[in-house]
Amino acid sequence: MKIYTKTGDKGTTALFGGTRVPKHHIRIESYGTIDELNSHIGLIRDQAIDQMHKNVLMEIQDRLFTVGAILATDPEKATLKNGKDRLNIPKISDADIKLLEDNMDSMNAALPPMTHFVLPGGHQTVSFCHIARTVCRRAERLASHLNDLEPFQPETLMYINRLSDYLFVLARKLSHDLQAEEIKWIPKKEE
């Protein structure tokens, strides 16, 4: 199978279902940013971190492929003529969201309370988490815009929102585990 198809040479691409749209379409921007996020999460997973975190990150990467597939599906072609969903995979579930929440609760229990915003950084692995978090927030903004235009499964947007929170808490937990300094942002006073 060849990787290149030449079908996108004129600046269009196909959605799941065959509809062709410009490569700059909000739907493409949305699932393309999810793909970018998935790559950043792979980078975090490749770091020297606890295997439990790696396992959760691998589960998240799996779910992000589902998110991407949901976002890549033309809503007008989401249902086949026989009435079945074109996308024949499990959708994002409440259990997927709960996995993120439970992991955040567990990590938070081992951390000192937050009293200030913290500056991203302190260790390369922590910085990778913050980059992934901000890419996730961008994905959420794009997906939210898409949802306003063409609504999709509500749990998908909830999952993206919760994932950015998870990545922030993971950054804090890894700072703690790696004994990296968390630098508080303390606004300067006006003179």
Side-chain angles (χ1 to χ4, degrees):
M1 179 178 138
K2 288 187 177 184
I3 294 298
Y4 59 93
T5 62
K6 301 182 183 180
T7 57
D9 287 354
K10 293 185 179 174
T12 64
T13 193
L15 298 176
F16 195 46
T19 305
R20 293 204 69 81
V21 296
K23 289 188 177 188
H24 60 270
H25 190 280
I26 185 67
R27 187 170 291 284
I28 308 307
E29 288 284 348
S30 296
Y31 75 74
T33 305
I34 291 295
D35 186 34
E36 180 184 351
L37 171 61
N38 207 336
S39 296
H40 283 290
I41 289 174
L43 183 60
I44 300 166
R45 191 171 50 83
D46 288 343
Q47 303 304 300
I49 60 174
D50 185 275
Q51 187 61 46
M52 186 273 304
H53 294 310
K54 289 182 182 221
N55 294 344
V56 173
L57 291 169
M58 202 171 319
E59 177 66 22
I60 290 167
Q61 287 186 290
D62 177 82
R63 302 316 304 155
L64 286 177
F65 268 97
T66 298
V67 170
I70 290 167
L71 297 178
T73 302
D74 180 350
E76 292 182 13
K77 296 186 178 179
T79 306
L80 299 170
K81 289 179 183 176
N82 64 9
K84 293 186 178 182
D85 285 345
R86 177 175 299 279
L87 195 58
N88 190 20
I89 59 174
K91 307 296 184 291
I92 297 299
S93 68
D94 289 337
D96 295 321
I97 296 165
K98 186 166 176 13
L99 175 78
L100 297 176
E101 292 172 345
D102 289 349
N103 274 274
M104 281 188 279
D105 291 344
S106 176
M107 289 187 289
N108 256 331
L111 296 173
M114 262 191 72
T115 57
H116 294 80
F117 287 111
V118 294
L119 299 181
H123 188 282
Q124 185 175 22
T125 303
V126 174
S127 294
F128 290 150
C129 287
H130 283 292
I131 291 167
R133 173 184 59 79
T134 60
V135 171
C136 189
R137 285 289 188 209
R138 177 165 31 98
E140 181 183 16
R141 290 189 301 271
L142 290 164
S144 175
H145 182 193
L146 174 62
N147 190 57
D148 284 350
L149 301 171
E150 298 176 341
F152 53 83
Q153 183 207 24
E155 290 83 0
T156 300
L157 198 54
M158 291 170 60
Y159 185 82
I160 299 168
N161 177 265
R162 209 67 86 251
L163 180 54
S164 62
D165 296 334
Y166 168 86
L167 290 166
F168 177 75
V169 176
L170 180 62
R172 290 200 69 222
K173 179 68 168 90
L174 292 176
S175 285
H176 180 267
D177 293 352
L178 296 164
Q179 299 178 345
E181 182 182 5
E182 255 190 355
I183 300 173
K184 296 175 183 175
W185 178 65
I186 301 172
K188 294 179 179 169
K189 304 287 183 202
E190 284 210 45
E191 295 181 23

